[in-house]
Amino acid sequence: MPYSGLITLEQFIVDQQSLYKDAGGSLSKIFRSLELAAKMVNRDVRKAGLVDILGNQGSTNVQGEEQKKLDVIANDIFIQALSRSGEVSVVLSEENDDAYFVPGAENEKYVVAIDPLDGSSNIDVNASIGTIFSIYRRPNPQRDASTEDCLQKGKHQVAAGYFIYGSSTMLVYTTGVGVNGFTLDDNIQEFCLSHPNIEIPEDGKIYSVNEGNLASFPEPYQQYLAYCKEKDKATFRPYSARYIGSLIADFHRNLLKGGVFLYPPTQSAPKGKLRLMYECNPMAFLVEQAGGAAHTGEERILQVAPSELHQRVPVIMGSKNMVQKVLEFVEQSSLTTANL
Ligand code: P6P
């Protein structure tokens, strides 16, 4: 196939550098390390059925979740790659109880929060999984790195994105100047621009939630889900329920087609299940940059002031008008309660 104007990730980043003030190419070096790690994880994910790396590692992570072997492999690969970038001082990973301080990099400028392999419960059944990353500058690089560097509001992210290991392997990311998608061309092992300027439709006909938890959702969420099922041609209802149980796969579909993703509070998880620093904040940055919205039900996700490395928040995110509709139910309920 002739060189048909392919734009590789490398070329795109260089072109964009002036837009996001990547002084000295530091952020570009981090992206190159993320790209290399993703290609290695992609290689392992693609052969998972052939080599004995399926199944459980036999350990559990800080979340109390059973670690799959690929979880641990992906975690090691990304932490090694980020450490070698020469730009990262601290890595906060879903798989590690504490932040990882890169030896000899105490005064480097960047922090990376990462979910090395999200959706890992889907590994053994060949459903799409992925890596989510979120990048911050350290407020005071002249000081030695500390855990505090990781606890920044999502609105301070300088970049965020995900790699999805699905029917094709893609990178979707933002540096605050829109959202762009790149597809890995296996023949040349390059991520090539395939989805420029992604914008999420303002409305959608898809809702994504684990309805197995319906009985323990707060009333307003139960009312909204009933609303989704009502027949009303004018608002394209009933909507379609689509939920894979892999955040990246559910998010990616809704980003491209429109829809709303919900992980409400439940009795067993009063703050929801998804983690703020390496799941909710990066996805919130992406969806807002694509013209959508992301909310906890009480505040904009990017405004949440973190207090713990692995803290969880409820999530309502996706098409702007659909998120707004959920909030109408939530706010109506709090108004009613307030007037009691
Ligand atoms: P549930 C995967 O473990 C994950 O963190 C997300 O990828 C996914 O959206 C969510 O959990 C699924 O949780 O409770 O519906 O199985």
Side-chain angles (χ1 to χ4, degrees):
M1 183 175 175
Y3 181 85
S4 56
L6 279 183
I7 298 177
T8 66
L9 175 61
E10 189 83 26
Q11 290 158 327
F12 187 83
I13 288 174
V14 169
D15 295 347
Q16 290 258 311
Q17 248 174 343
S18 56
L19 285 179
Y20 55 79
K21 301 183 285 297
D22 179 17
S26 300
L27 203 51
S28 306
K29 286 181 198 160
I30 296 175
F31 269 101
R32 269 196 289 280
S33 64
L34 288 167
E35 182 187 11
L36 173 63
K39 288 176 181 174
M40 295 167 73
V41 170
N42 181 59
R43 171 203 61 198
D44 293 344
V45 165
R46 298 290 168 213
K47 69 184 182 187
L50 303 172
V51 177
D52 180 30
I53 48 178
L54 280 179
N56 296 336
Q57 169 79 356
S59 54
T60 58
N61 63 18
V62 63
Q63 326 289 341
E65 294 167 342
E66 208 163 49
Q67 285 184 306
K68 301 277 183 180
K69 287 179 182 171
L70 264 176
D71 273 326
V72 177
I73 293 170
N75 192 45
D76 292 347
I77 289 173
F78 273 97
I79 287 182
Q80 289 292 332
L82 289 166
S83 301
R84 290 202 190 106
S85 72
E87 302 294 341
V88 176
S89 193
V90 196
V91 180
L92 166 60
S93 168
E94 182 196 37
E95 299 303 331
N96 297 346
D97 301 6
D98 304 314
Y100 173 75
F101 295 93
V102 178
E106 291 75 13
N107 299 101
E108 292 307 336
K109 296 195 289 287
Y110 290 92
V111 179
V112 179
I114 195 160
D115 184 350
L117 205 57
D118 180 75
S120 52
S121 55
N122 290 289
I123 293 174
D124 298 352
V125 297
N126 211 7
S128 296
I129 52 181
T131 302
I132 310 172
F133 61 88
S134 168
I135 305 175
Y136 295 85
R137 282 198 186 82
R138 289 181 56 226
N140 302 298
Q142 66 284 359
R143 287 193 201 144
D144 280 4
S146 72
T147 302
E148 289 313 303
D149 290 326
C150 302
L151 297 174
Q152 299 186 50
K153 288 184 179 180
K155 68 179 183 179
H156 296 310
Q157 291 173 94
V158 293
Y162 57 84
F163 293 93
I164 179 168
Y165 313 111
S167 49
S168 63
T169 297
M170 279 190 70
L171 162 64
V172 175
Y173 84 91
T174 184
T175 55
V177 280
V179 178
N180 292 283
F182 299 77
T183 299
L184 182 65
D185 181 327
D186 283 323
N187 298 316
I188 58 173
Q189 277 298 303
E190 288 283 1
F191 281 97
C192 300
L193 184 63
S194 54
H195 297 67
N197 298 316
I198 297 174
E199 292 182 348
I200 185 170
E202 288 197 348
D203 279 300
K205 296 177 259 186
I206 291 172
Y207 69 98
S208 306
V209 67
N210 182 343
E211 291 207 74
N213 299 324
L214 182 69
S216 82
F217 289 158
E219 181 67 24
Y221 292 94
Q222 297 188 21
Q223 290 168 353
Y224 174 71
L225 293 172
Y227 167 84
C228 292
K229 299 179 177 78
E230 290 168 356
K231 195 170 175 56
D232 176 39
K233 265 192 177 173
T235 52
F236 307 106
R237 289 179 290 148
Y239 295 148
S240 295
R242 292 287 184 275
Y243 190 77
I244 298 175
S246 174
L247 171 62
I248 285 180
D250 285 317
F251 180 91
H252 187 68
R253 178 199 55 246
N254 292 358
L255 181 70
L256 298 183
K257 292 179 178 283
V260 64
F261 176 97
L262 306 163
Y263 209 105
T266 64
Q267 279 146 16
S268 58
K271 284 290 183 190
K273 173 182 181 182
L274 300 183
R275 280 57 56 131
L276 175 64
M277 297 313 295
Y278 38 77
E279 289 174 325
C280 304
N281 271 338
M283 293 323 212
F285 190 19
L286 282 164
V287 79
E288 287 198 2
Q289 281 291 312
H295 213 274
T296 66
E298 291 176 357
E299 61 184 314
R300 191 171 152 241
I301 285 180
L302 295 183
Q303 288 286 15
V304 175
S307 54
E308 294 163 30
L309 293 177
H310 300 284
Q311 82 183 64
R312 303 170 193 263
V313 292
V315 175
I316 308 162
M317 63 179 165
S319 294
K320 185 165 58 175
N321 296 343
M322 296 184 83
V323 170
Q324 189 47 50
K325 191 65 184 175
V326 181
L327 293 177
E328 282 175 21
F329 281 90
V330 172
E331 283 151 10
Q332 182 55 42
S333 166
S334 51
L335 279 176
T336 311
T337 312
N339 293 335
L340 289 179

